[in-house]
Amino acid sequence: MQRIARLRTLSGAKALLALKCFATWSVFPLMRQYLDGSTSSSLNEVRLGREKFGGETHAYSVAWADHEIDAVLTHGDKIIFNSLAQLQRFGDKARAAGKPVGLRVNPGVSNSPYLLADPARPNSRLGESDPDKIAAVIGQLSGLMFHNNCENRRFEHFDEMLGHIEQRFGHLLAQVQWISLGGGIHFSEPGYPLEQLAERLRRFAGRHGVQVYLEPGEASVAGAATLEVTVLDVGFNGKPLAVVDSSIEAHMLDLLIYDYSARIEPNTGEHETIVGGKTCLAGDLFGTFRFTRPLQVGDRLSIEDAAGYTMVKKNWFNGVDMPAIVVRRLDGREEVVRAFGYDDYVGSLS
Ligand SMILES: *Cc1c(COP(=O)(O)O)cnc(C)c1O
């Protein structure tokens, strides 16, 4: 949070929390001291942002429905449309409600290592890409949103892509008041050249006469939480195995859909062990880790980096109990802010 606040001060850019990455609202009172507001990908998120986060509330969705639009315009300060067709359908309503209107632009380049998460994938539905078509409606727009980074750890790469955006859409940038550059920039990691990024953003804003917005999701919460699990059984099948009281399908779905391993630290001992979940899914595996001694029933393990895209995907697969949400306060106190039981389980199935 402090790094984000520093970037805001140095660059003049505003930062909005992307709620799809992290929507654990019990810690919003702390986070809003460092951020300007929130951005969203659905009506539920816009409303959560308005009611629980406060500050500036951007409303974006890949597609709004007719029955949602009035509520979206009530809760959002700005509305960002994903397509010219959505702009045409709802633009007049937004202007009548006095809400500034933005459009998502797809610059056709990205750095995503995963096709699944690549907004510039072939035949992408995420944003408009033809500068001439956008120019034709520019008078209706107060801003443009570009979101084409995903886990981008290299400033040089960000810089290059921003250059590409300026080259292709430069004549449009000067005609709006604000530009959102989306999320996916991992500037909160140690070693990221924050000052260089700030300088680049400041120059970008000055050259085009715009207010810049950033929408950090992952960068807001990277490394901020762990998933605490307990070993229920140990065994051996060619390699030592352990089963824990959790599941990647139920609790850390990203590991499954992007096919990568969880992180457990340190990972340097002599006892290599496969750690798996307790569901019936054969590939429900957190990964293979090196422990300093053989695991035993009752051992507790900490899965690192469990905040982003994890706490918002609790889908009760196989009826596995949800992890409680525990907030470590700044004074070190740990507070169970929510625990889940059978009633919640039954209530979630409707
Ligand atoms: C997902 C998303 C973000 C947040 O991305 P992170 O990689 O978590 O920083 C921001 N803006 C938009 C439009 C998104 O779709």
Side-chain angles (χ1 to χ4, degrees), residues 18 20-21 60 104 145 147 182-184 215-219 309:
K20 82 162 192 279
C21 174
Y60 164 74
R104 179 168 184 175
M145 190 260 271
H147 171 68
E215 303 176 352
E218 196 85 52
Y309 298 103

Side-chain angles (χ1 to χ4, degrees), residues 6 8 24 56 146 161 225:
R6 182 133 180 279
R8 286 166 63 210
T24 308
E56 289 192 46
F146 297 83
M161 281 198 299

